[in-house]
Amino acid sequence: MPHLFVDISAHGFGHLAQTAPVLEALAHRLPDLRLTIRSALPTAQLRLRISPAFEHIPAASDVSFLMHDAVRLDREASAAAYRTCHADWPARVAAEAAMLSALAPDLVLANVSALPLAGARRAGIPALALCSLNWADQFAFLFGGEAWAVGIVAELQAAYAGADAFLRCLPAAAMPTLRNVVDVPPIARVGRRDRPALSALLGAGDDRLVLVGMGGIGFELPVAAWPRVDGIRWLVREPLAQARPDVVGYRALGWHFSDLLASVDAVVTKPGYGMFVESAAAGVPLLYLRRDDWPEQEALIAWLEKNTACAEITAEAFAVGDMLGSLAHLWRGRRLPVPANGAEVVAENLMARLAR
């Protein structure tokens, strides 16, 4: 029975959105796969995306980055967390190696913590990274010019460089320091579109349905301050404290998020792999609000502009709900869905390694 150990970052839901379709495709090929997943994401959240049986280790192995909210990074808290994490990095790597040796997986897959990669290398266990970014480059972008950060950059870079391969799922940030990068096509769970059913469920008639969400990191949406716009229904995670007929809490609908996203007329979000690629794969136009201190967004935005109808919205316009003109422009320029078969490509790669 092949055994795969998977580490999934809990920095939002994008890392899960990249990893889950791969595990689905792999389990289809290897029905007897033993799957162990370590992640700080709740078990229930993992099971929404991952249907094969798995053992869940509820823990985080990476700092990733600490955020004020979905679009504002907390630089000071992130710096302090990284200093703590790397205060005795060799000891942490040794402990990780011991844990992995005891668990004895045939392969380690990390999205995108550096620690399991370093631990697996020390334990002599094959290991792969999978992601559209890595924390070494992100950390260097933020702190690389500071003397205290030099050693941390080197430790992170060495961990990623020591992986058997870094499977870089496109669209992706450049990774100029890595020589083990293998590019793979976009990865997404392509939702099933059923616009008539969603409209009927909401009693929306001919209204346009616009999904508003900032991914898995907290963000206080200013929807309550937006004016009512004839012909528009806003779908947000939770209903407003003071109910409005034009604002719907989608969590209570019971739809899989990918199917919901595929069935709306537009998405309003921040740059993030999961939302961007799933929207493009479903052919749904998108408005985005830029993030601070997040270099990956430039690659994501450039890719989205080439592949689907999208536009930037300013923070000022978002705050007051001034989006009707931008949405109308998107609806005139809708494009075809974008292929996203990267999960199949990665699953074939993993299966070949597990069969060795």
Side-chain angles (χ1 to χ4, degrees):
M1 177 185 297
H3 181 194
L4 177 65
F5 177 86
V6 185
D7 188 286
I8 303 174
S9 175
H11 190 270
F13 295 149
H15 302 274
L16 175 60
Q18 291 173 354
T19 310
V22 171
L23 300 182
E24 294 282 317
L26 181 62
H28 180 74
R29 291 165 168 78
L30 297 173
D32 63 339
L33 177 68
R34 178 186 170 193
L35 190 56
T36 302
I37 298 176
R38 178 174 61 187
S39 179
L41 292 171
T43 304
Q45 184 66 40
L46 296 173
R47 293 197 187 283
L48 285 175
R49 292 268 184 171
I50 302 170
S51 62
F54 61 86
E55 176 189 351
H56 181 206
I57 300 174
S61 67
D62 61 346
V63 175
S64 61
F65 287 89
L66 305 180
M67 310 292 292
H68 291 296
D69 58 33
V71 297
R72 295 182 302 128
L73 187 144
D74 188 332
R75 185 184 178 92
E76 290 72 24
S78 295
Y82 267 99
R83 281 172 160 162
T84 299
C85 177
H86 287 260
D88 193 351
W89 182 250
R92 292 199 70 205
V93 172
E96 184 77 356
M99 184 276 294
L100 290 172
S101 294
L103 196 60
D106 299 293
L107 181 66
V108 168
L109 177 67
N111 190 333
V112 63
S113 175
L115 183 62
L117 300 173
R121 184 172 178 82
R122 176 160 179 163
I125 301 170
L128 300 172
L130 168 70
C131 199
S132 57
L133 56 75
N134 67 70
W135 297 136
D137 290 341
Q138 173 71 10
F139 182 86
F141 174 84
L142 290 169
F143 304 113
E146 302 185 30
W148 65 266
V150 173
I152 296 176
V153 172
E155 288 169 343
L156 292 171
Q157 289 178 340
Y160 291 122
D164 291 63
F166 194 116
L167 305 179
R168 190 177 77 138
C169 48
L170 302 176
M175 301 183 187
T177 66
L178 297 180
R179 299 292 177 263
N180 58 346
V181 169
V182 177
D183 283 344
V184 298
I187 297 174
R189 181 193 187 275
V190 183
R192 182 178 63 87
R193 182 172 177 82
D194 194 343
R195 180 64 173 74
L198 181 59
S199 182
L201 178 64
L202 300 177
D206 295 329
D207 285 357
R208 297 276 198 173
L209 305 179
V210 181
L211 176 64
V212 185
M214 294 294 166
I217 297 175
F219 189 89
E220 187 173 349
L221 295 172
V223 180
W226 294 357
R228 299 188 185 189
V229 180
D230 290 341
I232 300 287
R233 298 280 184 102
W234 308 104
L235 276 63
V236 298
R237 182 175 174 81
E238 303 292 348
L240 297 180
Q242 293 189 351
R244 280 174 39 175
D246 63 326
V247 180
V248 178
Y250 63 73
R251 190 169 72 160
L253 300 178
W255 279 47
H256 191 290
F257 184 79
S258 297
D259 297 337
L260 182 75
L261 183 152
S263 300
V264 299
D265 298 297
V267 170
V268 181
T269 188
K270 63 171 174 61
Y273 190 95
M275 293 286 275
F276 269 36
V277 176
E278 287 194 18
S279 295
V284 176
L286 183 147
L287 289 180
Y288 61 86
L289 181 69
R290 282 184 176 268
R291 307 169 66 171
D292 291 335
D293 298 325
W294 205 257
E296 184 205 15
Q297 74 174 352
E298 303 308 329
L300 295 177
I301 291 169
W303 178 85
L304 197 71
E305 289 176 343
K306 291 180 180 178
N307 287 284
T308 195
C310 67
E312 179 181 354
I313 182 172
T314 66
E316 294 76 16
F318 181 75
V320 298
D322 182 14
M323 288 179 275
L324 185 58
S326 297
L327 288 169
H329 177 73
L330 291 185
W331 288 322
R332 290 193 295 270
R334 191 165 179 167
R335 300 184 189 178
L336 295 175
V338 177
N341 66 334
E344 302 295 328
V345 173
V346 175
E348 289 290 338
N349 189 308
L350 297 182
M351 187 171 68
R353 293 173 188 272
L354 287 166
R356 292 175 183 172

